Amino acid sequence: MGRMRIYTSNPGGDKVQIVRDLGIGIMIASSPNRTPSKMYRGIPCALDNGAFQCWRRGFPFMEEFFLGTLRKCYVLDLSLDFIVCPDIVARGCDSLRFSLRYASESLSTAPRLALAVQDGMMENAVRSAVLDGTFTHLFVGGTVEWKWETAAMWVKVAHDHGMKCHIGRCGTLRALDRAAAMEADSVDSASFVRNDSWHIVRQFQGREARTEARAGQLGLFDSSNERATSDGSRGTVL
């Protein structure tokens, strides 16, 4: 498995260069006051649907902002790793039906869609929904408690079906470590750009680099101890 990709929310000004320097991506927000920029070209991007922000503020899903942001990404010639299909926060089967409708109608020609799993969704229902290949990603959303109680299961479901798994709202070092231990493919948090908490990303990346270096050294040590014997078999030098 490769390194877990980290996304943050829409950066502006000098923060775009910080994102580039860190080698992370941008989770573009579908919002009336945050828009994508041509400065994002060449940076890994994905599109959030904005449902969580609507829910948190007590509003229904705002389809016009989602589709408007999607159009702006197209006009700006931005490539999207995936698009989070519209969902309903913490609404289980209602959310699944809502997402499947969008996937079969407005987003039917999108090549990389993420299905957001929400509180109350059952594993078997999700497995059935992804069997036809409509979705390339699972996006673990929902409430904080439910997310971490079920995230490892959703990673397994995704990987069982040749999909990638993304975990939302991972803005602390502990959350990044937990997601990496579960072998999530990617995570996001708006807090990095909002709070300038880039040190958390750097600290996590430093740990990843050290872990990879140790693994490489162990592999080198193991292979260097193996020697071919005179009869062509492999032996170990003591």
Side-chain angles (χ1 to χ4, degrees):
M1 178 183 168
R3 285 194 176 189
M4 182 176 73
R5 174 165 287 174
I6 299 172
Y7 298 84
T8 192
S9 192
N10 301 41
D14 294 341
K15 294 185 181 184
V16 177
Q17 189 57 47
I18 295 174
V19 167
R20 288 187 187 276
D21 292 343
L22 288 172
I24 63 176
I26 300 171
M27 181 65 68
I28 297 172
S30 296
S31 166
N33 53 18
R34 286 185 290 170
T35 59
S37 166
K38 64 181 180 181
M39 296 172 67
Y40 298 172
R41 290 173 186 162
I43 298 175
C45 293
L47 178 63
D48 188 16
N49 60 43
F52 179 77
Q53 294 302 325
C54 291
W55 174 78
R56 190 173 68 172
R57 297 173 186 176
F59 289 96
F61 175 62
M62 300 290 185
E63 180 183 53
E64 63 270 30
F65 292 126
F66 167 62
L67 295 179
T69 305
L70 183 58
R71 282 191 290 271
K72 289 175 184 175
C73 290
Y74 179 77
V75 170
L76 292 170
D77 195 26
L78 301 180
S79 296
L80 298 176
D81 294 338
F82 59 89
I83 298 167
V84 185
C85 201
D87 60 304
I88 308 174
V89 179
R91 287 276 296 275
C93 291
D94 289 341
S95 180
L96 181 58
R97 286 190 290 268
F98 190 72
S99 296
L100 290 173
R101 179 171 61 82
Y102 266 93
S104 64
E105 296 176 2
S106 302
L107 300 175
S108 62
T109 59
R112 291 180 295 278
L113 284 181
L115 173 66
V117 290
Q118 294 287 348
D119 301 48
M121 279 194 190
M122 304 301 292
E123 180 182 354
N124 288 341
V126 172
R127 284 186 182 273
S128 297
V130 301
L131 285 176
D132 65 358
T134 297
F135 301 97
T136 57
H137 293 66
L138 288 186
F139 183 110
V140 186
T143 59
V144 173
E145 296 78 10
W146 182 86
K147 176 177 68 178
W148 291 115
E149 286 173 1
T150 61
M153 177 186 73
W154 296 123
V155 172
K156 184 177 186 305
V157 171
H159 292 172
D160 284 350
H161 293 280
M163 303 165 66
K164 293 184 177 181
C165 189
H166 178 98
I167 301 178
R169 288 174 290 135
C170 292
T172 65
L173 186 60
R174 180 169 182 263
L176 294 176
D177 285 339
R178 290 179 74 178
M182 294 174 183
E183 299 189 348
D185 299 282
S186 59
V187 296
D188 76 271
S189 177
S191 68
F192 303 130
V193 69
R194 184 175 60 237
N195 301 322
D196 286 318
S197 54
W198 308 112
H199 64 283
I200 294 175
V201 177
R202 293 188 182 98
Q203 189 173 353
F204 175 77
Q205 290 177 335
R207 288 186 182 184
E208 273 195 319
R210 289 191 294 272
T211 299
E212 289 173 359
R214 284 195 296 269
Q217 289 169 354
L218 288 173
L220 180 63
F221 177 79
D222 290 342
S223 62
S224 65
N225 276 345
E226 291 186 353
R227 296 292 184 271
T229 61
S230 59
D231 63 358
S233 62
R234 302 297 289 180
T236 300
V237 178
L238 300 177

